[in-house]
Amino acid sequence: MTLDLTTAGESHGPALVAIITGLPAGLTVDRAAVEDDLRRRREGYGRSPRQKLEQDEVEVLAGLRHGDTLGTPLAFVIRNRDHANWAWGMSPWPPEGEPSGKGTAAVTLPRPGHADLAGTLKFGHADARNALERASARQTAAHVAAGAVAKALLREIGISVAGRVLEIGGETDDDGWRRATEAAKADRETLGGVVDVTADGVPAGLGSYAEKRDRLDARLAAALMGIQAVKGVEIGDGFDLARRRGSGAHDEIEADLRRSTNRAGGIEGGITNGEPVVVRAAMKPLPTLMRPLRSVDLESGEAGEALVERSDVQAVEALAVVAEAAVAWELARAAREKFGGDALEDFVGAHRAYVERIRWPRES
Ligand code: EPS
């Protein structure tokens, strides 16, 4: 038993689409909680005006009845309200009538840092829009909605997951973030940052050391690295551990099997050890600059300046929400693999029996 997610959808196409398989029956999905996470993803200073336009309403098409999962594939769409402005440019079928609205001219000046150039070369597109529309972080809205469902499942077994911002543009406090964002906007620049995600209530034993693909730290790293603009991931104290001696790098085991430190970020040997799971992700500055970088026109071969398109100054607060969803999703997958069950009761019961088995100290 595992949990899977497939998504589709272009940034300015008609909609984002998602199908989730592997949920047990009987899980209550709170519509307000899903929409709240989508709203959190849209908010934050430095976001583009696009985020005020989108309502990110989740329209469930299958797998849910009266708010409870049926144990069948759960399908939903999130319509792009901005598509109305791109109806000709992003029409799935050959457009009718004269070109109008946005996206009518081909994009031939790839942005350094975005998927424009590599995607265009790889797929043989004449218009980089055919690559950049799917590569866009707009897609993360579908992942955040799926993450909200994963969090509902995890809550049933006492696991909570929370992401937060640690740094924006090198600043470590709220005031600095606001000032750095405003200054970057005035300079027509962009910023990156660092977020962390903590999962509490995770029992020891999720993931495995058997193969690389089973290791939960490897899976979390892939889940975070798979988010647009993420260039670095750390588990626990990460790179800093490399600079310490062993005695200052590991977490000593107390009489109750708990640890007084959590340098490992709750994972040893690719398996959760009962401490909170703590991961960090670093985001590069966004590649769409209002002061464009040097590029080459792929049609004429002439030097030029990269595409300038409405974009965010920074989206680090959004990353905290997207990373939270990614970690929740991966933990929910690992929990489905370990505890299984067709009905939510089976899943919760298997978790309860397992936690009882590993309880410490053991009853004599
Ligand atoms: C968006 C992320 C960014 C925004 C996009 C919505 O996309 P990208 O990853 O391609 O830079 O630019 O919005 C627009 C393209 C726009 O028209 O404002 C997101 O996270 O929703």
Side-chain angles (χ1 to χ4, degrees), residues 10 13 26-27 38 48 53 64 66 75-76 103 112 127 133 135 176 205-206 213 218 222 225 231 245 256 276 310 314:
E10 276 67 50
L27 173 69
L38 288 165
S48 89
L53 173 67
L64 215 55
H66 302 168
F76 66 83
D127 180 353
E133 281 284 331
L206 295 189
R213 62 172 171 265
M225 201 62 99
K231 280 298 205 186
R245 300 175 97 185
D256 59 358
R310 181 181 63 186
Q314 56 87 6

Side-chain angles (χ1 to χ4, degrees), residues 50 52 85 122 125 168 179 241 254 315 331-332 348 363:
R50 165 109 191 244
K52 291 199 173 66
N85 302 313
K122 176 178 168 69
H125 296 311
I168 299 175
R179 263 186 280 111
L241 289 172
E254 309 292 341
L331 289 175
V348 171
E363 288 194 347

Side-chain angles (χ1 to χ4, degrees), residues 131-153:
L132 69 88
E133 281 284 331
R134 178 62 183 164
S136 166
R138 170 69 189 149
Q139 183 206 352
T140 59
H143 287 262
V144 165
V149 176
K151 284 195 289 179
L153 182 64

Side-chain angles (χ1 to χ4, degrees), residues 11-12 41 47-48 50-51 82 114 136-138 310-311:
S11 181
H12 302 99
R41 195 199 75 94
R47 294 290 265 160
S48 89
R50 165 109 191 244
Q51 305 303 335
D82 202 17
H114 212 289
S136 166
R138 170 69 189 149
R310 181 181 63 186
S311 186

Side-chain angles (χ1 to χ4, degrees), residues 60-261:
V60 177
L61 302 179
L64 215 55
R65 183 161 185 242
H66 302 168
D68 291 346
T69 56
L70 295 172
T72 54
L74 193 155
F76 66 83
V77 298
I78 301 172
R79 297 197 187 278
N80 292 321
R81 295 184 76 188
D82 202 17
H83 178 64
N85 302 313
W86 298 71
W88 194 97
M90 287 302 294
S91 170
W93 296 108
E96 285 171 12
E98 290 303 304
S100 65
K102 298 185 181 181
T104 54
V107 175
T108 58
L109 285 152
R111 292 162 293 176
H114 212 289
D116 303 356
L117 177 59
T120 299
L121 293 174
K122 176 178 168 69
F123 291 99
H125 296 311
D127 180 353
R129 181 157 304 284
N130 289 345
L132 69 88
E133 281 284 331
R134 178 62 183 164
S136 166
R138 170 69 189 149
Q139 183 206 352
T140 59
H143 287 262
V144 165
V149 176
K151 284 195 289 179
L153 182 64
L154 291 173
R155 212 168 294 126
E156 297 289 340
I157 53 171
I159 299 175
S160 59
V161 186
R164 62 177 178 162
V165 175
L166 297 179
E167 281 181 38
I168 299 175
E171 302 288 338
T172 53
D173 64 84
D174 212 300
D175 275 353
W177 298 337
R178 196 174 291 273
R179 263 186 280 111
T181 303
E182 280 162 14
K185 187 172 185 183
D187 291 344
R188 296 183 296 145
E189 277 284 0
T190 57
L191 297 175
V194 181
V195 304
D196 76 359
V197 181
T198 301
D200 286 307
V202 184
L206 295 189
S208 185
Y209 40 65
E211 277 291 356
K212 280 198 271 192
R213 62 172 171 265
D214 304 321
R215 289 181 176 256
L216 193 67
D217 41 7
R219 290 169 53 162
L220 289 171
L224 291 168
M225 201 62 99
I227 300 168
Q228 286 80 350
V230 169
K231 280 298 205 186
V233 176
E234 290 183 303
I235 312 287
D237 287 359
F239 274 62
D240 201 37
L241 289 172
R243 301 178 193 111
R244 296 184 208 155
R245 300 175 97 185
S247 60
H250 300 291
D251 306 306
E252 287 186 296
I253 302 169
E254 309 292 341
D256 59 358
L257 301 193
R258 297 301 304 259
R259 320 294 177 96
S260 50
T261 56

